[in-house]
Amino acid sequence: MSSQSDIVAVRLGVAKPSASIAAKARADAMRTAGREIIDFTVGEPDFPTPAYIVDAGVNALRQGHTRYTASAGTAELRTAIARKLMRENRLHYEANEIVVGCGAKQIIFNAFMASLNNGDEVIIPAPYWVSYPEMVLINGGVPKIVRCGAQDGFKIHATALERAITPRTKWLVLNSPNNPTGAVYSAADLRALGDVLHAHPHVHIMTDEIYEHFVYGGEKHVCLLNASPTLRSRTLLINGLSKSHAMTGWRIGYGAGQASLVNAIVLLITQSTTCAGAAAQAAAAVALDGPIKGVTDTTQMFESRRNRLVERLAQIDGIHCNTPNGAFYVFASVAGLIGRETRAGKLLETDVDVAEFLREEGGVVTIDGTSYGLSPFLRFSFAKPMSEIDRGCDAIAAAVSRLEPL
Ligand SMILES: Cc1ncc(COP(=O)(O)O)c(C=O)c1O
C-alpha cells in the first residue's frame, strides 16, 4: 500500500522550505485576509525593472527571440557578462567560463549538485542566506556552519576558517555584501581568508556577489579575486541581475569559473531547464551594457532608507542594531526583548516568538534570525518606501510598549 508521503524522496526529508519565501507567503495571506500589515520581508527592489530593459525584452520577443537558446546562455549575454566582469570587477573571463541560469539560485544549486559527493563538507558562515545549507543537504553534502556574531562584524575571519577546514571540505561559501546582515568584506578581510585558503588547495570558493552594487557610506565592494587573484582556478563567482537591475521575475543569474565546473553545470541545465528564457537573456544583455547611473541612484536611495531604518530601530526599547554597510537588510538584535511577557501572558523566549508577537500584535512581518542560523535577531528589509519604514517602526514601538513592564 502506498501512502501520500511515499512519493517524496528520502533525500528531501533533510531540507526545509525557504524561510524568506514562507514569511512572504504569510504576509500575503494576512493581507488577503484583510489585515493591514507592514512587510519587512521583501527580498527585492520595490520598483519595476527600468523601462529601457523592459523595452529590450519586448523588442526581443517581437524580433523572434521566442525559442530555446544555448544551454550555457546566448553568446550575446555571455559576452556582455564578460564585459561587465572586466569593466566593473577587473576580472577576465572567456565566454566558455560563464554560464547563465534561471537566477543565481539555479547556478548555486547546480554547482553543488555538480560537485558534491556524499559527505563532502561546505563551510557556510552564519548568519547565511537561507538556501545555502538546504541546497547542500539536498545534494548530499554536509553544511559546516561557522557562527559569526556581531562582535565579528558577522564575518568569518581567518582563524575560524582555518579551524573549520577538514580533508572533506569541498567549498567555502562567501557572500558579500551579505544577506541577511549587510556585512561587507574588505580587501584586508579577503586577503586574510585568501592566505588561509592558499594553504588548503582542495577547498573551492563560491563567492556570491549578488548585492555588489548596494554598498554604502563610502565602502567599496571588493571581489575575493581582486584581493587574492591566485584563487581564480578554484573560485566560482556568482552574480545576477535580480537585485542590481530590479529583475527578480526575469530569472537571470550567472556563474563564472573554471571551464570543467561550468561545463558540468551546463550539463545539468541541458537535462533540466534547457536554458534561461530567451527574451529575458536579451534584456539582461542590454541591462549589463546599459547606464550604471540607474544602479547608483538606487544605491543612494537605499542608503537613505537604511539610515532611517537604523535610526528608528535604535529608538525602540529592546532592539539594537549596527549600521549595515551593504545589501538592503538590517539584522537587528532582539536580545532585549527576550524574557519579556505579552499582556496575554506569553513569554517571548526566542526570536521566533518575537517575530510572531510583532506580526500578531503590530501587523509587522519580519524574519527571525533562527532561520538564518543566528539568534536572537530579526531581519528587516529596507527595500521599501520611507513612509512604510516609518509606519512599520511606529507599529513596532507601539507593540513593544504594550509588553508587560519588566
Ligand atoms: C545572497 C543571495 N544569493 C542569491 C540569491 C538568488 O537570486 P536570484 O536567483 O534571483 O538571482 C539571493 C536572493 O534572494 C540572495 O539573497
Side-chain angles (χ1 to χ4, degrees):
M1 267 249 304
S2 76
S3 76
Q4 290 257 318
S5 61
D6 286 345
I7 192 67
V8 179
V10 174
R11 196 175 61 248
L12 277 201
V14 294
K16 303 191 289 289
S18 157
S20 42
I21 293 177
K24 183 177 180 322
R26 209 156 34 230
D28 291 345
M30 285 173 75
R31 216 179 268 123
T32 310
R35 180 96 193 261
E36 203 181 305
I37 61 140
I38 303 137
D39 182 1
F40 279 107
T41 69
V42 270
E44 56 188 342
D46 57 319
F47 45 84
T49 308
Y52 78 95
I53 302 173
V54 174
D55 290 344
V58 172
N59 289 341
L61 288 170
R62 290 201 196 290
Q63 286 159 14
H65 291 267
T66 55
R67 299 169 187 273
Y68 297 132
T69 73
S71 289
T74 63
E76 290 73 20
L77 178 52
R78 280 183 294 144
T79 49
I81 293 166
R83 279 194 296 278
K84 178 261 180 254
L85 291 172
M86 178 49 82
R87 189 177 59 242
E88 295 180 4
N89 308 102
R90 288 174 290 113
L91 297 173
H92 174 80
Y93 283 94
E94 299 291 341
N96 72 345
E97 295 175 303
I98 294 170
V99 51
V100 173
C102 301
K105 204 168 194 174
Q106 186 190 18
I107 302 295
I108 300 169
F109 188 94
N110 284 6
F112 287 139
M113 185 179 259
S115 62
L116 291 177
N117 294 310
N118 276 345
D120 281 350
E121 295 171 358
V122 179
I123 298 175
I124 303 175
Y128 44 71
W129 180 44
V130 291
S131 292
Y132 300 134
E134 306 307 317
M135 290 183 182
V136 169
L137 286 167
I138 291 170
N139 289 300
V142 179
K144 288 272 288 197
I145 307 297
V146 178
R147 286 166 56 91
C148 306
Q151 71 285 359
D152 300 316
F154 300 118
K155 297 189 260 194
I156 188 167
H157 294 293
T159 37
L161 174 61
E162 181 76 62
R163 228 179 292 127
I165 294 174
T166 75
R168 290 304 306 261
T169 306
K170 192 69 167 259
W171 290 98
L172 161 68
V173 178
L174 283 179
N175 171 215
S176 174
N178 180 268
N179 174 8
T181 65
V184 175
Y185 284 72
S186 68
D189 293 333
L190 294 169
R191 267 196 301 273
L193 295 177
D195 288 345
V196 173
L197 292 162
H198 281 129
H200 299 279
H202 66 292
V203 179
H204 297 255
I205 307 100
M206 184 182 287
T207 168
D208 179 346
E209 311 198 348
I210 197 141
Y211 294 96
E212 72 166 318
H213 289 292
F214 302 135
V215 180
Y216 314 114
E219 285 277 327
K220 269 188 91 64
H221 166 75
V222 181
C223 176
L224 171 73
L225 293 178
N226 296 135
S228 284
T230 50
L231 294 175
R232 185 185 187 282
S233 65
R234 48 192 171 113
T235 295
L236 180 66
L237 187 150
I238 301 285
N239 210 329
L241 290 93
S242 283
K243 320 284 178 179
S244 58
H245 293 79
M247 290 180 73
T248 48
W250 298 72
R251 309 307 302 125
I252 297 292
Y254 55 89
Q258 56 156 300
S260 56
L261 176 62
V262 163
N263 290 341
I265 294 172
V266 174
L267 170 72
L268 290 171
I269 293 176
T270 63
Q271 298 296 14
S272 52
T273 50
T274 299
C275 59
Q281 291 190 61
V286 170
L288 287 177
D289 283 336
I292 194 75
K293 181 160 177 349
V295 181
T296 44
D297 287 351
T298 305
T299 306
Q300 275 176 16
M301 179 175 71
F302 280 160
E303 182 159 356
S304 31
R305 292 171 175 187
R306 172 201 71 158
N307 294 345
R308 177 72 68 95
L309 178 59
V310 167
E311 183 191 316
R312 293 293 317 265
L313 288 177
Q315 290 160 5
I316 301 173
D317 200 22
I319 300 189
H320 173 80
C321 64
N322 295 326
T323 306
N325 288 328
F328 41 70
Y329 308 106
V330 168
F331 200 62
S333 166
V334 290
L337 295 177
I338 303 295
R340 305 276 308 263
E341 213 172 278
T342 69
R343 293 261 159 102
K346 173 152 180 16
L347 184 65
L348 302 181
E349 290 181 285
T350 64
D351 52 17
V352 177
D353 293 341
V354 176
E356 186 189 320
F357 163 72
L358 294 180
R359 191 172 66 238
E360 299 307 320
E361 276 285 319
V364 174
V365 191
T366 58
I367 307 179
D368 54 88
T370 305
S371 299
Y372 298 97
L374 198 75
S375 317
F377 291 88
L378 294 181
R379 189 193 80 165
F380 295 80
S381 164
F382 52 84
K384 310 173 59 56
M386 206 68 114
S387 56
E388 282 266 296
I389 291 175
D390 281 335
R391 233 159 46 81
C393 291
D394 290 344
I396 296 169
V400 167
S401 73
R402 289 195 296 273
L403 286 169
E404 289 295 340
L406 275 174

